Amino acid sequence: MLFHTMVGSNDIERSKNFYDTVLGTLGVGEPMRNIADSGHTRLIYNNGNGTNFIVSQPINDEPATVANGSTVAFSCNSPEQVKQLHDAAVANGGTSIEAPPGPRETASMGTIELAYFRDPDGNKLCGIHFPK
């Protein structure tokens, strides 16, 4: 359903270092570097299934800000990968938030593995795994 999700960055090279490592734990390779017609840089990460995660300098030249109530969740293959994603984020300038990585009981989805963290610009991210 989604083609891409985009977050803003105030320091595109810092974001590249962060996301190269964090998304690398999911097997995502180097991003395509796109220069918009406005001259602003975008990093386009593609996982091969047709969806993209994009990090962009805001094209209106205003500072990148965090969307209140928004979370970008990355699908993980295992509970261990949820923790790896979280730990890579924290080791590369991210901040762990909410409860530590681990299982969460939900009424509608059963037990799921979650880890919440923020990137260096404050965007809220999540690693999630649904057991089979």
Side-chain angles (χ1 to χ4, degrees), residues 25-26 75-82 128-130 132:
T25 67
L26 302 178
S75 184
C76 296
N77 295 325
S78 67
E80 295 78 22
Q81 194 175 44
V82 170
I128 189 168
H129 172 69
F130 291 92
K132 295 178 182 183

Side-chain angles (χ1 to χ4, degrees), residues 24-45:
T25 67
L26 302 178
V28 177
E30 287 281 316
M32 178 181 77
R33 187 177 291 262
N34 171 266
I35 307 299
D37 291 342
S38 62
H40 297 86
T41 300
R42 293 181 177 147
L43 305 173
I44 303 172
Y45 293 88

Side-chain angles (χ1 to χ4, degrees), residues 25-90:
T25 67
L26 302 178
V28 177
E30 287 281 316
M32 178 181 77
R33 187 177 291 262
N34 171 266
I35 307 299
D37 291 342
S38 62
H40 297 86
T41 300
R42 293 181 177 147
L43 305 173
I44 303 172
Y45 293 88
N46 184 292
N47 71 352
N49 73 358
T51 61
N52 299 283
F53 179 75
I54 303 172
V55 182
S56 179
Q57 296 171 315
I59 62 170
N60 64 0
D61 291 324
E62 295 292 323
T65 58
V66 179
N68 187 24
S70 295
T71 302
V72 175
F74 296 103
S75 184
C76 296
N77 295 325
S78 67
E80 295 78 22
Q81 194 175 44
V82 170
K83 180 138 176 37
Q84 289 172 341
L85 184 75
H86 171 272
D87 293 349
V90 171

Side-chain angles (χ1 to χ4, degrees), residues 78-83 86 97-107 109-116 126-131:
S78 67
E80 295 78 22
Q81 194 175 44
V82 170
K83 180 138 176 37
H86 171 272
I97 58 171
E98 300 184 19
R104 308 289 195 284
E105 295 296 326
T106 69
M109 296 180 283
T111 302
I112 57 176
E113 292 285 329
L114 288 172
Y116 287 97
C126 171
I128 189 168
H129 172 69
F130 291 92

